[in-house]
Amino acid sequence: MCRWFAYISPQEPCLLSDVLINPANAISKQCSEHYLPKLLPHGEEHDLDDSNDDLMKMRNSLLNMDGLGIAWYTKAAENYVKGLEGQRPALYKTQSPPISDFNFRNLCSNTETQCLFAHIRATSGSVVTQVNSHPFVFGRHVFMHNGAISDFSTIRRDMTDLLSFDAYCNVLGSTDSEHAAALYVTNLTNHGAKDTWEKAYPITEMVSAMNKTLVQIMELQRKHLGDKAAPNSLNFCATDGHKMVATRFRNHASQQPPSLYWSEFAGRTLNQKFPGNPDGADKVNESATKGTDEKIGKHTIIASEPTTYDEGEWHLINPNCILTVDEDGTEKEVPVEYDAEFNAVDPSHP
């Protein structure tokens, strides 16, 4: 399945290459190799085939080679555009494998940001093209997804009817994920026009919009498919550059959603200015300019896979929960509110 990585901090920027390229398990290297503590066995004597979870093995046997996208927030535009205040997302998408993309590597080596989304794609059926790569941008809001909306072609028409006019017009590709992004923005802005996308909304309203989006998808599936509706994997993430909400969700009574972790510590290990190395305690960071007693600013990382060797730095988000990060960087996990009657039984969908 896809993989994504998100970083946000009220005060501490990260260098993109530190978090996306340099670590041994950076997202740019998760096209085929995976590290999933608390979900899969690891070590020299174990591999993916040792898992007794067939769904888990299926998800992690796929190659994520169908597109790369990153969005990072910058204040550059406010210095030139009248009436624009605060940071806005810049966007880069490519179909090239990240490890061999010269432009991607150069951009990451020379860009810092306090809010970052990165995504590598494994298509669930839609065409491989740049516009179908995540993340998706709606004004100051950015959205990405790992998983799949089951039977999307069946509910797509009705789903578009729920979108505001401007959100519908902003859908440039054909993926289930971009339609979910447009539905989230429609809910967040209460069907507002394009100018409402420039507004920042309270974290409670972001959570409400995300929860509503999940429920609407399941309602449409139940309407068209009844008891035959298959389970969805909906690991969504959305940000306005200052706050973030992320879901780890699968509407099934027993099956795990796709992997999703968060950390309030890993940013220090990843930041080359500080002592430590993401690839092992025995490795020396010769680039460090800070002392061992110096602290890094508050930050949060949310990612499909941990990108540092230390499992203790990472928390696995509970199934069917929303992780929130407010403007002060405070993290909170809340359950998704939905009717258990939407839990499906078909185990064959991703």
Side-chain angles (χ1 to χ4, degrees):
M1 302 189 78
C2 303
R3 291 290 188 272
W4 56 253
F5 175 98
Y7 176 97
I8 190 166
S9 172
Q11 61 195 92
E12 187 74 46
C14 68
L15 184 67
L16 269 58
S17 57
D18 277 354
V19 297
L20 302 183
I21 294 178
N22 295 342
N25 198 49
I27 190 172
S28 58
K29 299 163 187 171
Q30 292 171 19
C31 294
S32 58
E33 301 296 327
H34 305 299
Y35 173 54
L36 304 172
K38 303 181 180 71
L39 290 176
L40 286 180
H42 291 283
E44 293 180 359
E45 74 282 8
H46 295 298
D47 59 26
L48 183 60
D49 292 333
D50 291 312
S51 172
N52 57 10
D53 188 328
D54 291 337
L55 181 62
M56 190 74 64
K57 287 194 287 188
M58 181 276 292
R59 287 173 178 158
N60 296 287
S61 297
L62 300 175
L63 294 177
N64 304 311
M65 298 289 285
D66 297 325
L68 160 75
I70 59 174
W72 68 99
Y73 280 76
T74 170
K75 291 184 177 181
E78 76 171 353
N79 295 323
Y80 300 91
V81 181
K82 183 179 180 179
L84 184 66
E85 295 182 0
Q87 54 186 4
R88 291 297 186 275
L91 188 64
Y92 177 81
K93 296 186 180 185
T94 179
Q95 291 172 240
S96 300
I99 231 44
S100 60
D101 187 323
F102 172 83
N103 293 324
F104 169 70
R105 296 180 68 84
N106 187 268
L107 186 157
C108 289
S109 296
N110 295 280
T111 303
E112 67 172 10
T113 186
Q114 290 176 221
C115 186
L116 168 68
F117 271 17
H119 188 283
I120 52 173
R121 182 175 180 239
T123 179
S124 56
S126 53
V127 65
V128 177
T129 181
Q130 286 187 6
V131 294
N132 279 342
S133 293
H134 310 218
F136 304 105
V137 174
F138 291 75
R140 72 183 301 155
H141 302 276
V142 183
F143 185 102
M144 59 185 174
H145 173 208
N146 174 26
I149 296 176
S150 298
D151 300 296
F152 173 61
S153 60
T154 301
I155 69 168
R156 180 176 179 177
R157 178 64 180 269
D158 280 3
M159 195 169 171
T160 58
D161 288 342
L162 297 176
L163 305 181
S164 67
F165 177 78
D166 283 348
Y168 173 80
C169 292
N170 200 64
V171 176
L172 304 178
S174 57
T175 64
D176 56 343
S177 305
E178 190 173 14
H179 285 76
L183 185 56
Y184 165 76
V185 171
T186 296
N187 292 330
L188 181 65
T189 63
N190 194 25
H191 287 258
K194 195 171 183 178
D195 63 302
T196 64
W197 302 350
E198 300 302 330
K199 178 183 174 183
Y201 297 84
I203 191 72
T204 53
E205 293 183 21
M206 294 173 68
V207 171
S208 178
M210 187 66 81
N211 201 121
K212 183 177 180 180
T213 300
L214 295 170
V215 171
Q216 286 174 313
I217 290 168
M218 292 184 287
E219 287 175 340
L220 291 177
Q221 291 166 331
R222 181 56 60 93
K223 170 186 173 182
H224 286 275
L225 299 165
D227 292 338
K228 295 181 180 179
N232 306 279
S233 291
L234 304 177
N235 282 17
F236 293 153
C237 193
T239 186
D240 61 5
H242 295 287
K243 303 178 295 296
M244 192 174 289
V245 294
T247 65
R248 181 173 182 241
F249 184 82
R250 184 169 175 84
N251 57 314
H252 193 280
S254 60
Q255 293 174 354
Q256 284 274 347
S259 58
L260 194 60
Y261 301 81
W262 73 274
S263 176
E264 70 273 55
F265 304 116
R268 190 180 194 277
T269 308
L270 292 165
N271 191 321
Q272 64 179 284
K273 294 188 297 184
F274 290 86
N277 190 296
D279 301 334
D282 59 331
K283 299 186 181 298
V284 177
N285 174 15
E286 298 180 352
S287 300
T289 58
K290 302 287 188 179
T292 56
D293 59 340
E294 294 188 70
K295 295 182 179 181
I296 194 171
K298 184 75 176 77
H299 66 278
T300 306
I301 295 173
I302 312 173
S304 300
E305 299 187 22
T307 52
T308 68
Y309 74 95
D310 187 354
E311 293 184 21
E313 292 183 334
W314 297 88
H315 314 277
L316 180 65
I317 296 175
N318 286 309
N320 298 348
C321 284
I322 302 174
L323 181 73
T324 70
V325 186
D326 66 18
E327 52 270 271
D328 296 321
T330 302
E331 303 93 350
K332 183 180 179 181
E333 193 173 297
V334 296
V336 174
E337 297 180 1
Y338 75 107
D339 195 320
E341 71 175 11
F342 290 127
N343 282 335
V345 296
D346 180 6
S348 64
H349 285 246

